[in-house]
Amino acid sequence: GPAAKAGLEEGNRIASINGTNLRVAREDADDPMIAASRARRFQRAVSELKPGDAVELSVYANGRFRTV
């Protein structure tokens, strides 16, 4: 699909979607409240999309960030 064509692979971590930052500080990563907030940010960003919309993702894989 489109994600594979863009170069996304299983295990890539989405850091941002259309500029909405999804990252949290390492020391907060295990906090359930912060994790829930991160998930809500992702859901909000995705809910604003329509089928066929272009999406810019910042992904983390193999020790580096890249934009797809």
Side-chain angles (χ1 to χ4, degrees), residues 2-60:
K5 288 179 185 175
L8 289 177
E9 298 175 353
E10 185 175 342
N12 289 169
R13 294 182 182 185
I14 299 173
S16 72
I17 180 169
N18 287 345
T20 300
N21 186 3
L22 302 175
R23 298 173 62 207
V24 297
R26 183 177 303 254
E27 59 271 11
D28 294 329
D30 291 331
D31 185 316
M33 187 173 270
I34 292 175
S37 174
R38 180 180 169 206
R40 284 191 300 276
R41 277 187 293 189
F42 177 80
Q43 289 170 337
R44 251 192 327 269
V46 170
S47 72
E48 295 172 0
L49 301 172
K50 297 178 199 83
D53 281 355
V55 177
E56 181 177 286
L57 300 176
S58 173
V59 296
Y60 181 79

